[in-house]
mmCIF file of all heavy atoms in Angstrom:
data_model
loop_
_atom_site.group_PDB
_atom_site.id
_atom_site.type_symbol
_atom_site.label_atom_id
_atom_site.label_comp_id
_atom_site.label_asym_id
_atom_site.label_seq_id
_atom_site.Cartn_x
_atom_site.Cartn_y
_atom_site.Cartn_z
ATOM 1 N N VAL A 120 -1.738 3.749 -15.782
ATOM 2 C CA VAL A 120 -0.407 4.086 -15.299
ATOM 3 C C VAL A 120 0.341 4.918 -16.294
ATOM 4 O O VAL A 120 1.152 5.741 -15.844
ATOM 5 C CB VAL A 120 0.391 2.825 -14.937
ATOM 6 C CG1 VAL A 120 0.721 2.045 -16.120
ATOM 7 C CG2 VAL A 120 1.586 3.176 -14.067
ATOM 8 N N GLU A 121 -0.028 4.897 -17.557
ATOM 9 C CA GLU A 121 0.749 5.523 -18.681
ATOM 10 C C GLU A 121 0.983 7.014 -18.444
ATOM 11 O O GLU A 121 2.094 7.545 -18.645
ATOM 12 C CB GLU A 121 0.118 5.242 -20.002
ATOM 13 C CG GLU A 121 0.460 3.883 -20.590
ATOM 14 C CD GLU A 121 -0.242 2.765 -19.879
ATOM 15 O OE1 GLU A 121 -1.277 2.997 -19.198
ATOM 16 O OE2 GLU A 121 0.246 1.546 -19.947
ATOM 17 N N PRO A 122 0.020 7.785 -18.021
ATOM 18 C CA PRO A 122 0.244 9.229 -17.812
ATOM 19 C C PRO A 122 1.356 9.556 -16.779
ATOM 20 O O PRO A 122 1.866 10.595 -16.721
ATOM 21 C CB PRO A 122 -1.068 9.838 -17.408
ATOM 22 C CG PRO A 122 -2.099 8.945 -17.837
ATOM 23 C CD PRO A 122 -1.421 7.463 -17.732
ATOM 24 N N TYR A 123 1.611 8.591 -15.936
ATOM 25 C CA TYR A 123 2.576 8.747 -14.815
ATOM 26 C C TYR A 123 3.933 8.077 -14.968
ATOM 27 O O TYR A 123 4.763 8.204 -14.168
ATOM 28 C CB TYR A 123 1.885 8.194 -13.473
ATOM 29 C CG TYR A 123 0.614 8.955 -13.263
ATOM 30 C CD1 TYR A 123 -0.571 8.322 -13.535
ATOM 31 C CD2 TYR A 123 0.590 10.185 -12.657
ATOM 32 C CE1 TYR A 123 -1.840 9.014 -13.318
ATOM 33 C CE2 TYR A 123 -0.616 10.851 -12.432
ATOM 34 C CZ TYR A 123 -1.869 10.223 -12.753
ATOM 35 O OH TYR A 123 -3.002 10.922 -12.495
ATOM 36 N N LEU A 124 4.145 7.474 -16.140
ATOM 37 C CA LEU A 124 5.426 6.696 -16.243
ATOM 38 C C LEU A 124 6.584 7.627 -16.233
ATOM 39 O O LEU A 124 7.633 7.191 -15.692
ATOM 40 C CB LEU A 124 5.348 5.993 -17.700
ATOM 41 C CG LEU A 124 4.406 4.775 -17.736
ATOM 42 C CD1 LEU A 124 4.511 4.107 -19.118
ATOM 43 C CD2 LEU A 124 4.694 3.790 -16.663
ATOM 44 N N ASP A 125 6.521 8.877 -16.701
ATOM 45 C CA ASP A 125 7.649 9.764 -16.622
ATOM 46 C C ASP A 125 8.018 10.271 -15.259
ATOM 47 O O ASP A 125 9.140 10.799 -15.089
ATOM 48 C CB ASP A 125 7.424 10.916 -17.664
ATOM 49 C CG ASP A 125 7.493 10.483 -19.127
ATOM 50 O OD1 ASP A 125 8.051 9.424 -19.375
ATOM 51 O OD2 ASP A 125 7.009 11.301 -19.891
ATOM 52 N N MET A 126 7.103 10.106 -14.277
ATOM 53 C CA MET A 126 7.406 10.608 -13.009
ATOM 54 C C MET A 126 7.794 9.482 -12.019
ATOM 55 O O MET A 126 7.916 9.756 -10.813
ATOM 56 C CB MET A 126 6.284 11.491 -12.411
ATOM 57 C CG MET A 126 4.954 10.738 -12.216
ATOM 58 S SD MET A 126 3.853 11.741 -11.046
ATOM 59 C CE MET A 126 4.616 11.454 -9.456
ATOM 60 N N LEU A 127 7.922 8.239 -12.590
ATOM 61 C CA LEU A 127 8.169 7.128 -11.577
ATOM 62 C C LEU A 127 9.479 7.359 -10.781
ATOM 63 O O LEU A 127 9.546 6.919 -9.644
ATOM 64 C CB LEU A 127 8.249 5.791 -12.359
ATOM 65 C CG LEU A 127 6.845 5.264 -12.856
ATOM 66 C CD1 LEU A 127 7.032 4.000 -13.653
ATOM 67 C CD2 LEU A 127 5.914 5.136 -11.671
ATOM 68 N N SER A 128 10.434 8.044 -11.410
ATOM 69 C CA SER A 128 11.725 8.211 -10.653
ATOM 70 C C SER A 128 11.555 9.082 -9.472
ATOM 71 O O SER A 128 12.374 9.242 -8.605
ATOM 72 C CB SER A 128 12.779 8.803 -11.595
ATOM 73 O OG SER A 128 12.346 10.032 -12.074
ATOM 74 N N LEU A 133 4.895 2.558 -6.237
ATOM 75 C CA LEU A 133 3.708 2.798 -6.989
ATOM 76 C C LEU A 133 2.680 1.787 -6.407
ATOM 77 O O LEU A 133 2.910 0.551 -6.402
ATOM 78 C CB LEU A 133 3.888 2.530 -8.438
ATOM 79 C CG LEU A 133 2.782 2.622 -9.351
ATOM 80 C CD1 LEU A 133 2.313 4.037 -9.471
ATOM 81 C CD2 LEU A 133 3.098 2.043 -10.759
ATOM 82 N N ARG A 157 2.487 -3.839 -17.123
ATOM 83 C CA ARG A 157 3.018 -2.686 -17.781
ATOM 84 C C ARG A 157 3.879 -1.816 -16.865
ATOM 85 O O ARG A 157 4.898 -1.315 -17.311
ATOM 86 C CB ARG A 157 1.828 -1.868 -18.477
ATOM 87 C CG ARG A 157 1.115 -2.581 -19.544
ATOM 88 C CD ARG A 157 0.369 -1.641 -20.409
ATOM 89 N NE ARG A 157 -0.618 -0.851 -19.670
ATOM 90 C CZ ARG A 157 -1.906 -1.298 -19.313
ATOM 91 N NH1 ARG A 157 -2.297 -2.470 -19.699
ATOM 92 N NH2 ARG A 157 -2.709 -0.551 -18.663
ATOM 93 N N ALA A 158 3.531 -1.670 -15.703
ATOM 94 C CA ALA A 158 4.230 -0.842 -14.778
ATOM 95 C C ALA A 158 5.518 -1.507 -14.481
ATOM 96 O O ALA A 158 6.582 -0.891 -14.453
ATOM 97 C CB ALA A 158 3.461 -0.683 -13.490
ATOM 98 N N ALA A 161 7.925 -1.014 -17.433
ATOM 99 C CA ALA A 161 8.486 0.297 -17.520
ATOM 100 C C ALA A 161 9.571 0.505 -16.409
ATOM 101 O O ALA A 161 10.520 1.172 -16.680
ATOM 102 C CB ALA A 161 7.274 1.311 -17.279
ATOM 103 N N ILE A 162 9.311 -0.021 -15.288
ATOM 104 C CA ILE A 162 10.244 0.205 -14.139
ATOM 105 C C ILE A 162 11.538 -0.607 -14.412
ATOM 106 O O ILE A 162 12.613 0.001 -14.293
ATOM 107 C CB ILE A 162 9.598 -0.209 -12.789
ATOM 108 C CG1 ILE A 162 8.526 0.767 -12.362
ATOM 109 C CG2 ILE A 162 10.647 -0.440 -11.670
ATOM 110 C CD1 ILE A 162 7.622 0.297 -11.166
ATOM 111 N N SER A 165 13.578 1.069 -17.202
ATOM 112 C CA SER A 165 14.223 2.385 -16.886
ATOM 113 C C SER A 165 15.267 2.154 -15.859
ATOM 114 O O SER A 165 16.122 3.128 -15.551
ATOM 115 C CB SER A 165 13.186 3.406 -16.458
ATOM 116 O OG SER A 165 12.627 2.848 -15.246
ATOM 117 N N ILE A 167 14.994 2.118 -12.622
ATOM 118 C CA ILE A 167 14.779 2.841 -11.369
ATOM 119 C C ILE A 167 14.182 1.871 -10.361
ATOM 120 O O ILE A 167 13.502 0.912 -10.737
ATOM 121 C CB ILE A 167 13.797 4.062 -11.538
ATOM 122 C CG1 ILE A 167 12.636 3.679 -12.412
ATOM 123 C CG2 ILE A 167 14.585 5.269 -12.086
ATOM 124 C CD1 ILE A 167 11.603 4.733 -12.594
#
Side-chain angles (χ1 to χ4, degrees):
V120 69
E121 281 70 20
Y123 300 100
L124 291 181
D125 288 342
M126 66 163 285
L127 287 178
S128 60
L133 177 70
R157 292 197 301 275
I162 288 168
S165 62
I167 44 174

